[in-house]
Amino acid sequence: MRLKLCLIGLATVLSWASIGLCAEEAVVLTPKPGPAPRINGARIFGVRQGSPFLFAIPATGERPMTFAAEGLPEGLKVDPKTGRITGRIERRGEYSLILKASNRLGTAAKTLKIVCGDTLALTPHMGWNSWYVWENRVSDKIMRDAAEAMVATGMIDHGYQYVNIDDCWAVKPGSNDPALQGEPRDERGMINSNKRFPDMKALTDYIHSKGLKAGIYTSPGPTTCAGHVGAWEHEDQDVSRFIEWGFDFLKYDWCSYENVAGGKGLAELQKPYRLVSRILARQPRDMVLNLCQYGMGRVWEWGREVGGNSWRTAGDLGGSFEGIPAALFRDGFDVYAANDLQRYGGPGAWNDPDYLLLGWLSDWKGGTARTPLTPNEQYSHVSLWCLLAAPLIFSGDITRLDEFTLSLLTNDEVIDVDQDPLGRPGRRVAKKGDLEVWARDLEDGSKAVGLFNRGEADAEVEAVWSELGVSGPRIVRDLWRQKDLGVFRDKYKALVPRHGVVLVRLRPSKT
Ligand code: GLA
């Protein structure tokens, strides 16, 4: 297999990158989930008083499975067959539930804390977004297929929730494609979808019927980045429309706001986001707000204050297809470390270094191509995002997931790091040339640690307890392999492949 891949690489002789790629096998490390029930995903969930509630208990294990939830607040019920908790909570407060999932092999239990208050997104969002594979070709069918795939692949059982339409669902003024032409707004001024989305309400109903949530995109400017109608001077109406359509998530993309902003001072940068979040706060439905303005004006310092539940920290990670590996290290690792972004993210408001660019992506020439990230770079990508407490939004083709890509997206012990309820983002604790150690504090007092090698050759990377701020023996567990590696006294070192990672969790040991 390796030889065959190398021959293809050499035959096409594209570049050193393709030859490097050919030497690396895509090794699946994530063990397959067992047949016994396991409840996965977030352990804390925020909702506002009176908003429609939907939380699908994510669980792996053999079906049929039955679900229960003890301690449900008044107004909520659980469907024992699907595990969906629905209803409305009328009283603010914190509720501690015990979720249960049972099949013929036993019962799994897990606590879930529901916080009914003002804050949504108490853990980073998990889902799928259409942009990096479908860009301007997105349609109702693509979104329905994505929702189906999120269920069929089992991603929903690992905590993935959001199915998000990116740009290109609205009318595009001046387009010569008949599907994108039409009246941008109806007689009341409410925004219309284009002909590829004949019935938005039916689409979100469909997504919700799968136990999932639906996301939409617009710009505060007159047009979106791809030239479709934006929300400028119609912000109230557009939010009302999204609510009436039944959306749960809004990505608000700066783009043409540039032309109407009257400058790039802090007040101008913040204004459209303050406005939209005030409008969202008045709605009878929860919508998570993602700020997309590429990190301008050090958005991390004020993204939370203006009402964002997450903010993009840099430009488009996949802006250039070939540039993705470089962008991963530049915008993923270096922008974060240089700005100490761990100081800004936390429950309700997260740093967003952009989507998971795995599997099949748009090649920006009308077709699709496999991610240019090598297998080890893909491990680094997902591991870093979990250490940073970044949203896990996959943006490759969810209907064409190979085993390797799915294994990267569905490792529950890795996802547990991302979704840890303490919500404290990790940081770079050591950098020695190309070798970096990143660490994140977790709720149970343990630490997730990533040993990264950004160099061109395999290298030994060392995580030293004193640099991590711990002392005494630690049980080290390899999270990708889900295997304990032993007890270590003052450091742990591992051979890490080119551009790869070893991701571990350290727990205090009594011996
Ligand atoms: C910008 C955003 C991307 C995507 C496109 C859509 O570039 O940063 O994430 O939404 O617009 O046009």
Side-chain angles (χ1 to χ4, degrees), residues 129 131-132 166-168 217 224-226 251 253 255 292 294 312 315-316 354-355:
N129 169 287
W131 181 247
Y132 277 109
D166 205 273
D167 201 350
C168 304
Y217 161 108
T224 65
C225 294
K251 172 173 172 181
D253 190 349
C255 249
C292 178
Y294 342 115
R312 279 271 301 279
D316 291 9
D354 213 351
Y355 303 132

PDB file of all heavy atoms in Angstrom, residues 129 131-132 166-168 217 224-226 251 253 255 292 294 312 315-316 354-355, ligand 1:
ATOM      1  N   ASN A 129     -20.170  22.595   8.609  1.00  0.00           N
ATOM      2  CA  ASN A 129     -20.463  23.815   7.861  1.00  0.00           C
ATOM      3  C   ASN A 129     -20.194  23.553   6.380  1.00  0.00           C
ATOM      4  O   ASN A 129     -19.244  22.860   6.020  1.00  0.00           O
ATOM      5  CB  ASN A 129     -19.587  24.960   8.384  1.00  0.00           C
ATOM      6  CG  ASN A 129     -19.636  26.191   7.498  1.00  0.00           C
ATOM      7  OD1 ASN A 129     -19.081  26.217   6.402  1.00  0.00           O
ATOM      8  ND2 ASN A 129     -20.303  27.232   7.958  1.00  0.00           N
ATOM      9  N   TRP A 131     -19.164  25.469   3.880  1.00  0.00           N
ATOM     10  CA  TRP A 131     -18.331  26.326   3.034  1.00  0.00           C
ATOM     11  C   TRP A 131     -17.195  25.615   2.304  1.00  0.00           C
ATOM     12  O   TRP A 131     -17.061  25.714   1.090  1.00  0.00           O
ATOM     13  CB  TRP A 131     -17.780  27.510   3.843  1.00  0.00           C
ATOM     14  CG  TRP A 131     -16.949  28.418   2.991  1.00  0.00           C
ATOM     15  CD1 TRP A 131     -15.611  28.647   3.074  1.00  0.00           C
ATOM     16  CD2 TRP A 131     -17.415  29.199   1.882  1.00  0.00           C
ATOM     17  NE1 TRP A 131     -15.216  29.511   2.100  1.00  0.00           N
ATOM     18  CE2 TRP A 131     -16.299  29.863   1.347  1.00  0.00           C
ATOM     19  CE3 TRP A 131     -18.662  29.387   1.283  1.00  0.00           C
ATOM     20  CZ2 TRP A 131     -16.392  30.710   0.242  1.00  0.00           C
ATOM     21  CZ3 TRP A 131     -18.759  30.230   0.172  1.00  0.00           C
ATOM     22  CH2 TRP A 131     -17.631  30.872  -0.330  1.00  0.00           C
ATOM     23  N   TYR A 132     -16.344  24.897   3.049  1.00  0.00           N
ATOM     24  CA  TYR A 132     -15.096  24.441   2.425  1.00  0.00           C
ATOM     25  C   TYR A 132     -15.257  23.279   1.462  1.00  0.00           C
ATOM     26  O   TYR A 132     -14.307  22.927   0.777  1.00  0.00           O
ATOM     27  CB  TYR A 132     -14.042  24.132   3.486  1.00  0.00           C
ATOM     28  CG  TYR A 132     -13.337  25.387   3.927  1.00  0.00           C
ATOM     29  CD1 TYR A 132     -13.545  25.934   5.180  1.00  0.00           C
ATOM     30  CD2 TYR A 132     -12.483  26.053   3.057  1.00  0.00           C
ATOM     31  CE1 TYR A 132     -12.911  27.095   5.569  1.00  0.00           C
ATOM     32  CE2 TYR A 132     -11.842  27.221   3.425  1.00  0.00           C
ATOM     33  CZ  TYR A 132     -12.057  27.743   4.687  1.00  0.00           C
ATOM     34  OH  TYR A 132     -11.434  28.897   5.061  1.00  0.00           O
ATOM     35  N   ASP A 166     -23.430  27.959   5.077  1.00  0.00           N
ATOM     36  CA  ASP A 166     -22.557  29.141   5.017  1.00  0.00           C
ATOM     37  C   ASP A 166     -23.135  30.099   3.981  1.00  0.00           C
ATOM     38  O   ASP A 166     -24.360  30.148   3.768  1.00  0.00           O
ATOM     39  CB  ASP A 166     -21.109  28.709   4.721  1.00  0.00           C
ATOM     40  CG  ASP A 166     -20.097  29.712   5.231  1.00  0.00           C
ATOM     41  OD1 ASP A 166     -19.783  30.661   4.487  1.00  0.00           O
ATOM     42  OD2 ASP A 166     -19.632  29.578   6.376  1.00  0.00           O
ATOM     43  N   ASP A 167     -22.289  30.817   3.327  1.00  0.00           N
ATOM     44  CA  ASP A 167     -22.692  31.821   2.341  1.00  0.00           C
ATOM     45  C   ASP A 167     -23.443  31.162   1.168  1.00  0.00           C
ATOM     46  O   ASP A 167     -23.331  29.958   0.971  1.00  0.00           O
ATOM     47  CB  ASP A 167     -21.413  32.508   1.832  1.00  0.00           C
ATOM     48  CG  ASP A 167     -21.678  33.859   1.207  1.00  0.00           C
ATOM     49  OD1 ASP A 167     -22.847  34.194   0.983  1.00  0.00           O
ATOM     50  OD2 ASP A 167     -20.696  34.576   0.938  1.00  0.00           O
ATOM     51  N   CYS A 168     -24.172  31.980   0.427  1.00  0.00           N
ATOM     52  CA  CYS A 168     -24.731  31.630  -0.887  1.00  0.00           C
ATOM     53  C   CYS A 168     -26.140  31.038  -0.866  1.00  0.00           C
ATOM     54  O   CYS A 168     -26.577  30.447  -1.854  1.00  0.00           O
ATOM     55  CB  CYS A 168     -23.779  30.730  -1.688  1.00  0.00           C
ATOM     56  SG  CYS A 168     -22.146  31.453  -1.895  1.00  0.00           S
ATOM     57  N   TYR A 217     -25.991  31.950   7.800  1.00  0.00           N
ATOM     58  CA  TYR A 217     -24.879  32.889   7.642  1.00  0.00           C
ATOM     59  C   TYR A 217     -25.391  34.176   7.016  1.00  0.00           C
ATOM     60  O   TYR A 217     -26.241  34.128   6.127  1.00  0.00           O
ATOM     61  CB  TYR A 217     -23.861  32.220   6.713  1.00  0.00           C
ATOM     62  CG  TYR A 217     -22.851  33.123   6.042  1.00  0.00           C
ATOM     63  CD1 TYR A 217     -21.521  33.109   6.442  1.00  0.00           C
ATOM     64  CD2 TYR A 217     -23.202  33.959   4.978  1.00  0.00           C
ATOM     65  CE1 TYR A 217     -20.576  33.914   5.803  1.00  0.00           C
ATOM     66  CE2 TYR A 217     -22.269  34.763   4.349  1.00  0.00           C
ATOM     67  CZ  TYR A 217     -20.959  34.735   4.763  1.00  0.00           C
ATOM     68  OH  TYR A 217     -20.026  35.519   4.140  1.00  0.00           O
ATOM     69  N   THR A 224     -22.790  39.727   1.107  1.00  0.00           N
ATOM     70  CA  THR A 224     -21.892  38.784   1.790  1.00  0.00           C
ATOM     71  C   THR A 224     -20.575  38.726   1.032  1.00  0.00           C
ATOM     72  O   THR A 224     -20.417  39.366  -0.014  1.00  0.00           O
ATOM     73  CB  THR A 224     -22.520  37.381   1.789  1.00  0.00           C
ATOM     74  OG1 THR A 224     -22.590  36.939   0.421  1.00  0.00           O
ATOM     75  CG2 THR A 224     -23.908  37.383   2.398  1.00  0.00           C
ATOM     76  N   CYS A 225     -19.654  37.917   1.513  1.00  0.00           N
ATOM     77  CA  CYS A 225     -18.346  37.840   0.839  1.00  0.00           C
ATOM     78  C   CYS A 225     -18.488  37.327  -0.591  1.00  0.00           C
ATOM     79  O   CYS A 225     -17.728  37.703  -1.467  1.00  0.00           O
ATOM     80  CB  CYS A 225     -17.396  36.938   1.618  1.00  0.00           C
ATOM     81  SG  CYS A 225     -16.952  37.600   3.216  1.00  0.00           S
ATOM     82  N   ALA A 226     -19.464  36.467  -0.827  1.00  0.00           N
ATOM     83  CA  ALA A 226     -19.641  35.928  -2.183  1.00  0.00           C
ATOM     84  C   ALA A 226     -20.654  36.743  -2.983  1.00  0.00           C
ATOM     85  O   ALA A 226     -21.100  36.308  -4.045  1.00  0.00           O
ATOM     86  CB  ALA A 226     -20.063  34.460  -2.106  1.00  0.00           C
ATOM     87  N   LYS A 251     -23.760  32.838  11.800  1.00  0.00           N
ATOM     88  CA  LYS A 251     -22.394  33.313  11.520  1.00  0.00           C
ATOM     89  C   LYS A 251     -22.529  34.680  10.867  1.00  0.00           C
ATOM     90  O   LYS A 251     -23.235  34.825   9.861  1.00  0.00           O
ATOM     91  CB  LYS A 251     -21.701  32.323  10.583  1.00  0.00           C
ATOM     92  CG  LYS A 251     -20.346  32.779  10.046  1.00  0.00           C
ATOM     93  CD  LYS A 251     -19.694  31.649   9.267  1.00  0.00           C
ATOM     94  CE  LYS A 251     -18.437  32.075   8.553  1.00  0.00           C
ATOM     95  NZ  LYS A 251     -17.839  30.948   7.786  1.00  0.00           N
ATOM     96  N   ASP A 253     -20.645  37.635   9.135  1.00  0.00           N
ATOM     97  CA  ASP A 253     -19.372  37.789   8.429  1.00  0.00           C
ATOM     98  C   ASP A 253     -19.189  39.223   7.922  1.00  0.00           C
ATOM     99  O   ASP A 253     -19.902  39.666   7.016  1.00  0.00           O
ATOM    100  CB  ASP A 253     -19.357  36.782   7.266  1.00  0.00           C
ATOM    101  CG  ASP A 253     -18.001  36.671   6.611  1.00  0.00           C
ATOM    102  OD1 ASP A 253     -17.119  37.507   6.894  1.00  0.00           O
ATOM    103  OD2 ASP A 253     -17.813  35.743   5.809  1.00  0.00           O
ATOM    104  N   CYS A 255     -17.182  41.144   5.919  1.00  0.00           N
ATOM    105  CA  CYS A 255     -17.141  41.362   4.470  1.00  0.00           C
ATOM    106  C   CYS A 255     -17.489  42.768   3.987  1.00  0.00           C
ATOM    107  O   CYS A 255     -16.791  43.712   4.325  1.00  0.00           O
ATOM    108  CB  CYS A 255     -17.946  40.307   3.754  1.00  0.00           C
ATOM    109  SG  CYS A 255     -16.768  39.280   2.884  1.00  0.00           S
ATOM    110  N   CYS A 292     -17.430  36.613  12.563  1.00  0.00           N
ATOM    111  CA  CYS A 292     -16.437  36.289  11.547  1.00  0.00           C
ATOM    112  C   CYS A 292     -15.912  37.605  11.023  1.00  0.00           C
ATOM    113  O   CYS A 292     -16.598  38.295  10.262  1.00  0.00           O
ATOM    114  CB  CYS A 292     -17.104  35.452  10.449  1.00  0.00           C
ATOM    115  SG  CYS A 292     -15.995  35.033   9.106  1.00  0.00           S
ATOM    116  N   TYR A 294     -12.174  37.810  11.028  1.00  0.00           N
ATOM    117  CA  TYR A 294     -10.776  37.445  10.736  1.00  0.00           C
ATOM    118  C   TYR A 294      -9.762  37.966  11.756  1.00  0.00           C
ATOM    119  O   TYR A 294      -8.594  38.148  11.442  1.00  0.00           O
ATOM    120  CB  TYR A 294     -10.389  37.876   9.295  1.00  0.00           C
ATOM    121  CG  TYR A 294     -11.615  38.139   8.417  1.00  0.00           C
ATOM    122  CD1 TYR A 294     -11.906  39.415   7.928  1.00  0.00           C
ATOM    123  CD2 TYR A 294     -12.521  37.100   8.142  1.00  0.00           C
ATOM    124  CE1 TYR A 294     -13.050  39.661   7.182  1.00  0.00           C
ATOM    125  CE2 TYR A 294     -13.681  37.347   7.401  1.00  0.00           C
ATOM    126  CZ  TYR A 294     -13.937  38.630   6.929  1.00  0.00           C
ATOM    127  OH  TYR A 294     -15.077  38.885   6.222  1.00  0.00           O
ATOM    128  N   ARG A 312     -13.755  34.357  15.029  1.00  0.00           N
ATOM    129  CA  ARG A 312     -12.635  33.894  14.217  1.00  0.00           C
ATOM    130  C   ARG A 312     -11.398  34.671  14.629  1.00  0.00           C
ATOM    131  O   ARG A 312     -11.458  35.891  14.810  1.00  0.00           O
ATOM    132  CB  ARG A 312     -12.963  34.105  12.747  1.00  0.00           C
ATOM    133  CG  ARG A 312     -13.852  33.004  12.174  1.00  0.00           C
ATOM    134  CD  ARG A 312     -12.998  31.875  11.628  1.00  0.00           C
ATOM    135  NE  ARG A 312     -12.150  32.438  10.616  1.00  0.00           N
ATOM    136  CZ  ARG A 312     -12.557  32.666   9.364  1.00  0.00           C
ATOM    137  NH1 ARG A 312     -13.763  32.319   8.980  1.00  0.00           N
ATOM    138  NH2 ARG A 312     -11.742  33.214   8.497  1.00  0.00           N
ATOM    139  N   GLY A 315      -7.627  34.964   9.358  1.00  0.00           N
ATOM    140  CA  GLY A 315      -8.259  34.847   8.036  1.00  0.00           C
ATOM    141  C   GLY A 315      -8.701  33.419   7.756  1.00  0.00           C
ATOM    142  O   GLY A 315      -8.668  32.560   8.642  1.00  0.00           O
ATOM    143  N   ASP A 316      -9.076  33.163   6.516  1.00  0.00           N
ATOM    144  CA  ASP A 316      -9.614  31.841   6.176  1.00  0.00           C
ATOM    145  C   ASP A 316      -8.501  30.788   6.167  1.00  0.00           C
ATOM    146  O   ASP A 316      -7.555  30.887   5.390  1.00  0.00           O
ATOM    147  CB  ASP A 316     -10.277  31.889   4.797  1.00  0.00           C
ATOM    148  CG  ASP A 316     -11.541  32.733   4.827  1.00  0.00           C
ATOM    149  OD1 ASP A 316     -11.781  33.403   5.859  1.00  0.00           O
ATOM    150  OD2 ASP A 316     -12.278  32.715   3.830  1.00  0.00           O
ATOM    151  N   ASP A 354     -11.144  28.681  12.910  1.00  0.00           N
ATOM    152  CA  ASP A 354     -11.777  28.225  11.657  1.00  0.00           C
ATOM    153  C   ASP A 354     -12.035  26.713  11.681  1.00  0.00           C
ATOM    154  O   ASP A 354     -11.779  26.037  12.664  1.00  0.00           O
ATOM    155  CB  ASP A 354     -10.969  28.659  10.425  1.00  0.00           C
ATOM    156  CG  ASP A 354     -11.875  28.957   9.215  1.00  0.00           C
ATOM    157  OD1 ASP A 354     -13.085  28.671   9.292  1.00  0.00           O
ATOM    158  OD2 ASP A 354     -11.365  29.455   8.194  1.00  0.00           O
ATOM    159  N   TYR A 355     -12.524  26.203  10.553  1.00  0.00           N
ATOM    160  CA  TYR A 355     -13.088  24.849  10.518  1.00  0.00           C
ATOM    161  C   TYR A 355     -12.040  23.753  10.416  1.00  0.00           C
ATOM    162  O   TYR A 355     -10.891  24.002  10.064  1.00  0.00           O
ATOM    163  CB  TYR A 355     -14.051  24.745   9.331  1.00  0.00           C
ATOM    164  CG  TYR A 355     -15.140  25.779   9.386  1.00  0.00           C
ATOM    165  CD1 TYR A 355     -15.462  26.546   8.275  1.00  0.00           C
ATOM    166  CD2 TYR A 355     -15.824  26.014  10.575  1.00  0.00           C
ATOM    167  CE1 TYR A 355     -16.455  27.508   8.340  1.00  0.00           C
ATOM    168  CE2 TYR A 355     -16.818  26.972  10.645  1.00  0.00           C
ATOM    169  CZ  TYR A 355     -17.130  27.717   9.532  1.00  0.00           C
ATOM    170  OH  TYR A 355     -18.106  28.668   9.606  1.00  0.00           O
TER     171      TYR A 355
HETATM  172  C1  GLA B   1     -15.403  34.571   4.335  1.00  0.00           C
HETATM  173  C2  GLA B   1     -15.401  33.722   5.590  1.00  0.00           C
HETATM  174  C3  GLA B   1     -15.494  32.257   5.216  1.00  0.00           C
HETATM  175  C4  GLA B   1     -16.741  32.017   4.384  1.00  0.00           C
HETATM  176  C5  GLA B   1     -16.762  32.933   3.177  1.00  0.00           C
HETATM  177  C6  GLA B   1     -18.075  32.868   2.430  1.00  0.00           C
HETATM  178  O1  GLA B   1     -14.274  34.377   3.572  1.00  0.00           O
HETATM  179  O2  GLA B   1     -14.261  33.961   6.363  1.00  0.00           O
HETATM  180  O3  GLA B   1     -15.520  31.449   6.374  1.00  0.00           O
HETATM  181  O4  GLA B   1     -17.874  32.223   5.169  1.00  0.00           O
HETATM  182  O5  GLA B   1     -16.549  34.287   3.552  1.00  0.00           O
HETATM  183  O6  GLA B   1     -18.129  33.734   1.355  1.00  0.00           O
END
